[in-house]
Amino acid sequence: MSSPTGQESGMFMSIESKRLKIEPKTYSRRKSDKNRSKRNSNSDDLPSPSKTSKSKDKYVGPPSVILDNGSYTAKIGMSNNEPKVIPNCMMKVKSERKRLFISNQIEECRDLSGLYYLLPCEKGYIMKWTVQKPVWDYIFNNVCSVEDKPVVMTQPLYNFKAIQEITDEIFFEEYEIKSMFRANPTDLAKYEYTNNVVGKQTSCIIVDSGFTCTTVVPYIGGKKYYKGIKRINVGGKLLTNYLKDIISYRQLHVMDETYVINQVKEDTCYVSSDFKQDMRIAGYSGEQNTIVKNYVLPDFNTIRRGYVQQQGDTSEIAEGCQILRLNNERFTVPEILFYPSDIGMESMGIPETIVKCIKLCPPKEQPLLAKNIVVIGGNANFPGFKERVYSDVRSYLPDHWTVHVYKPENPTTFAWKGGKSLSEDSKIKSLLITKEQYEERGSSYTYERFSDWVHTQKGDDQEKNKVSEVKPAAESILRNSNFTRFDLFGKHEPEGEEDCVVVEESMEVDKTVTKDSAGGNNKSSESVMNVDTAKDSKEDDAEVSNSGRDLETYQEEVEEYSNNKTERSSSKTAKTTINARSSNMDTYETNCFNSYDFDVFENTYI
Amino acid sequence: MTISKLTLRGSARLKESEKRRIVDETSRKRRHRKMMEILEADNYHEDPHADLVMSKKIPKFDDNLETRTRSRKKEKNPEYYQTKFRKHILQLLEEDRVEAEYTGRYSYTDMACEDTDSPYRHFCAVCGFFSQYVCLTCGMRYCGIRCMDMHMDTRCLKWAA
């Protein structure tokens, strides 16, 4: 892990210097369009051969509100400003009764002992609207105004329909925002990484280690590779609670002091690079033990915030203040991220999950993924986190693969930054859903647009792999001129690719259908001919009829496909066939889906 | 008969050894589950304001929001959304799973992480260093005599029902 930093900064510098030319342009938005597109195309840093100069245009709209709505902190700010990281919760304290502290109001509170949290999220999903709504009210009234502005906000992966409906209602109907786009924080991080860090479209793995859980998401060809996504149920909350538990058992009873212990964790914990060696050092006594640290707890009278006591410096400690002695706690707590089995959880750790995730991806992409691992989220702030991820992943993977782990300067706000750069991209125009569109089509429309997992099919991956085996699809996608329009988050399948998948599938179906009918014929003739073979064929028959049921639906699709082919453009048929395949689509959903298609179609030629 | 005599004399040690029992697998699992619940909890302690009568003293969230231009008519109480939502996380997860199964799409359950391939490491429940010994009664781990004594005195489940 010695050279990559140099490499990285070099790469970064070159992009930076290129970007610098554009920077002034971003602010002087009122310049003529022609001029801008010219400039940008000159200083383009996206090497994708098919890329048109248009796609890098700066968006000429008003600045948008970017909200990364995490389960512990919300990252909020205008796109022309810096983000603010504020608590996304309400808090109660013992000393001030009758008062709720919303979000960063907590800064006004003096006595933070026994802080009681009201968190809006469970498992990362917004569940308590009685908490989330006042927090949003507070944020948008005091931190950042949202009315009549475009909003880019984050939502967790597989965000449920019920949650999205309420979110829509709050933002569109009550806050009256102009337009909205929702994406997963990893999407935004991937966007930021590919556009502003490496400067080209590349497959990558985003590791988001947040408050409730850690998710590992591979991106191939600009889209989430759903088969490879993994979640580890270890997050910052669990680490804090664990530290609280062991300190309460070994030293002081601090079970009520989540807030204070969270600070202890942030101030003292680190990720060990050599766990066994650190354990040995922590076992020594006296001078040899370089790990043990004394932490002075705040008393909220003279000491507002706890701090690490410097070694040999005992004089300044006022009488009566409490000290925690942290020894192996300092590194065994973050170690849970790497070995959840240490506390008896039946789960893999981060490095093992990354490797597993790489192994689940198509073989062609695997070395590329190993080269582009991005760690974001609050837990990435632990000292030594990146180095440990690197060395562990390195030890799992073949020697000739290059492994590179990228940790942004501020892992917490990286997704927010991605949202910011996205909102300055011209692509955002086609991604935003305006208030008018919402009013016309309702919440199911936004659900379709913002939930790309709805359009996934478990079988699809294998089929796609098959295609890529026949001809390297990934490259052809990149060269496909259509791709740049939709390549953002895979919300819309690139037309060319989708088409060929469907075609191949229909061909397969055709074959099997003919086989099926042939088998049926055989059977009938056999039954006349021989009794013994008839028994066998009955068994065959059962199998055939089983598969026949599936095939019937397929046949219908094929028919529909061929019908549609004559009427509509190929891209639309691809969508409708997929529609037909997900059999439970309600009619209104299908309608909205079609109209959405139509709309996208329109958008592309705007 | 000697035992009855001894119990009459009230030897504490023998009384203890009678009550002492080996904790079976299910309650060990229960203990682990309970620990995981504590680790997942937002707060350990009770709501400090729980005993307050909040009827009229509920803080008004929009007390200081005079600057807002939004029309009052459109503003809704947070309770409105909660009652409209009325769902539990497990319910949502289950609905999601069923829908995903039906349509064959990926869902939350597909993200779950499998068990690790590497062997579990064992740590002393008392001091946190590597441990080699298991408490015969309750299955927790300790690293030496000192920690064993501590464990027996505190967290050992030998008395647990």
Side-chain angles (χ1 to χ4, degrees), chain A residues 92-93 117 125 129 141 169 174 176 231 237 241 249-250 328 335 339 342 352 457-458 461 584, chain B residues 39 41-43 47 68 70 74 80-82 84 102-104 106 111 116-117 121 126-127 154:
Chain A
K92 292 176 179 178
V93 290
Y117 283 103
Y125 299 98
W129 296 97
N141 281 303
E169 193 176 335
E174 192 170 328
E176 296 184 309
R231 182 195 67 243
K237 179 167 75 174
N241 281 338
Y249 181 51
R250 293 172 195 170
N328 60 24
E335 189 71 14
Y339 287 97
D342 283 1
E352 213 181 339
Q457 281 288 314
K458 275 186 183 172
D461 290 323
N584 82 325
Chain B
L39 291 185
D42 293 343
N43 300 287
D47 185 349
R68 96 169 33 168
R70 197 189 312 153
K74 284 199 169 113
Y80 163 80
Y81 295 106
Q82 191 66 55
K84 195 176 175 196
Y102 200 61
T103 55
Y106 284 95
M111 293 203 290
T116 176
D117 291 333
R121 302 184 297 190
V126 179
C127 68
T154 53

Side-chain angles (χ1 to χ4, degrees), chain A residues 579 586-597:
Chain A
N579 243 356
D586 295 334
T587 44
Y588 80 92
E589 270 176 339
T590 327
N591 282 339
C592 108
F593 200 68
N594 281 339
S595 54
Y596 147 56
D597 253 22

Side-chain angles (χ1 to χ4, degrees), chain A residues 385-401:
Chain A
F385 182 87
K386 175 182 132 182
E387 288 73 15
R388 176 65 183 275
V389 171
Y390 171 79
S391 63
D392 278 16
V393 171
R394 175 74 276 178
S395 69
Y396 277 111
L397 290 177
D399 184 43
H400 60 277
W401 291 12

Side-chain angles (χ1 to χ4, degrees), chain A residues 24-25 27-36 60:
Chain A
K25 286 279 135 194
Y27 295 110
S28 55
R29 284 213 170 78
R30 301 281 168 245
K31 296 257 168 101
S32 75
D33 254 344
K34 248 187 197 171
N35 212 352
R36 189 175 305 107
V60 206

Side-chain angles (χ1 to χ4, degrees), chain A residues 219-343:
Chain A
Y219 283 86
I220 293 176
K223 292 191 291 181
K224 280 199 266 309
Y225 189 72
Y226 274 92
K227 203 176 151 200
I229 298 176
K230 289 282 167 210
R231 182 195 67 243
I232 310 164
N233 284 329
V234 181
K237 179 167 75 174
L238 188 137
L239 299 186
T240 305
N241 281 338
Y242 182 65
L243 184 63
K244 219 165 66 174
D245 185 69
I246 54 180
I247 289 175
S248 299
Y249 181 51
R250 293 172 195 170
Q251 300 178 52
L252 293 166
H253 181 82
V254 287
M255 288 307 280
D256 296 351
E257 308 293 341
T258 316
Y259 182 82
V260 176
I261 299 302
N262 188 43
Q263 286 183 340
V264 175
K265 181 190 79 177
E266 283 169 8
D267 291 351
T268 62
C269 285
Y270 70 98
V271 178
S272 164
S273 53
D274 184 350
F275 187 70
K276 280 186 181 162
Q277 178 65 20
D278 278 359
M279 272 298 217
R280 210 171 300 129
I281 294 171
Y284 295 144
S285 58
E287 288 288 293
Q288 278 180 298
N289 188 345
T290 50
I291 286 167
V292 69
K293 284 236 160 82
N294 287 337
Y295 188 87
V296 182
L297 286 173
D299 58 1
F300 297 114
N301 194 14
T302 49
I303 310 163
R304 284 270 300 150
R305 195 187 197 283
Y307 56 89
V308 177
Q309 190 186 344
Q310 296 306 310
Q311 229 140 46
D313 179 22
T314 47
S315 56
E316 66 167 279
I317 307 299
E319 244 175 65
C321 73
Q322 288 174 309
I323 292 175
L324 287 181
R325 188 171 179 272
L326 297 154
N327 195 9
N328 60 24
E329 292 87 353
R330 286 187 62 207
F331 57 91
T332 47
V333 170
E335 189 71 14
I336 299 171
L337 288 166
F338 296 86
Y339 287 97
S341 55
D342 283 1
I343 53 164

Side-chain angles (χ1 to χ4, degrees), chain A residues 67-300:
Chain A
L67 169 64
D68 182 358
N69 199 49
S71 26
Y72 182 61
T73 54
K75 279 68 76 177
I76 176 86
M78 300 297 292
S79 55
N80 53 5
N81 229 322
E82 283 302 303
K84 276 191 185 132
V85 182
I86 54 175
N88 186 17
C89 55
M90 297 204 285
M91 285 152 281
K92 292 176 179 178
V93 290
K94 273 187 209 149
S95 53
E96 273 187 75
R97 300 169 83 87
K98 297 182 203 170
R99 176 159 184 199
L100 277 170
F101 293 89
I102 305 173
S103 193
N104 61 1
Q105 279 180 347
I106 198 66
E107 287 160 16
E108 300 160 18
C109 181
R110 277 192 58 82
D111 186 1
L112 295 166
S113 60
L115 194 70
Y116 184 84
Y117 283 103
L118 293 163
L119 293 163
C121 296
E122 278 175 56
K123 290 182 196 283
Y125 299 98
I126 305 168
M127 298 303 293
K128 294 193 190 103
W129 296 97
T130 43
V131 178
Q132 184 66 85
K133 178 71 192 348
V135 172
W136 278 346
D137 276 346
Y138 173 82
I139 289 175
F140 295 132
N141 281 303
N142 298 297
V143 184
C144 187
S145 163
V146 76
E147 201 166 324
D148 228 9
K149 285 181 186 131
V151 175
V152 176
M153 76 176 280
T154 62
Q155 63 178 3
L157 198 56
Y158 301 114
N159 197 9
F160 305 120
K161 197 173 184 181
I163 295 173
Q164 296 204 34
E165 272 168 13
I166 305 270
T167 316
D168 280 335
E169 193 176 335
I170 291 177
F171 276 87
F172 282 115
E173 291 177 26
E174 192 170 328
Y175 294 155
E176 296 184 309
I177 57 166
K178 190 173 166 223
S179 50
M180 170 177 262
F181 175 64
R182 284 198 294 270
N184 305 132
T186 50
D187 291 336
L188 300 177
K190 178 238 146 205
Y191 181 85
E192 179 76 3
Y193 179 72
T194 52
N195 284 284
N196 296 342
V197 179
V198 291
K200 61 174 184 199
Q201 280 299 334
T202 175
S203 302
C204 59
I205 290 187
I206 311 284
V207 182
D208 183 358
S209 189
F211 182 66
T212 39
C213 65
T214 303
T215 38
V216 178
V217 186
Y219 283 86
I220 293 176
K223 292 191 291 181
K224 280 199 266 309
Y225 189 72
Y226 274 92
K227 203 176 151 200
I229 298 176
K230 289 282 167 210
R231 182 195 67 243
I232 310 164
N233 284 329
V234 181
K237 179 167 75 174
L238 188 137
L239 299 186
T240 305
N241 281 338
Y242 182 65
L243 184 63
K244 219 165 66 174
D245 185 69
I246 54 180
I247 289 175
S248 299
Y249 181 51
R250 293 172 195 170
Q251 300 178 52
L252 293 166
H253 181 82
V254 287
M255 288 307 280
D256 296 351
E257 308 293 341
T258 316
Y259 182 82
V260 176
I261 299 302
N262 188 43
Q263 286 183 340
V264 175
K265 181 190 79 177
E266 283 169 8
D267 291 351
T268 62
C269 285
Y270 70 98
V271 178
S272 164
S273 53
D274 184 350
F275 187 70
K276 280 186 181 162
Q277 178 65 20
D278 278 359
M279 272 298 217
R280 210 171 300 129
I281 294 171
Y284 295 144
S285 58
E287 288 288 293
Q288 278 180 298
N289 188 345
T290 50
I291 286 167
V292 69
K293 284 236 160 82
N294 287 337
Y295 188 87
V296 182
L297 286 173
D299 58 1
F300 297 114

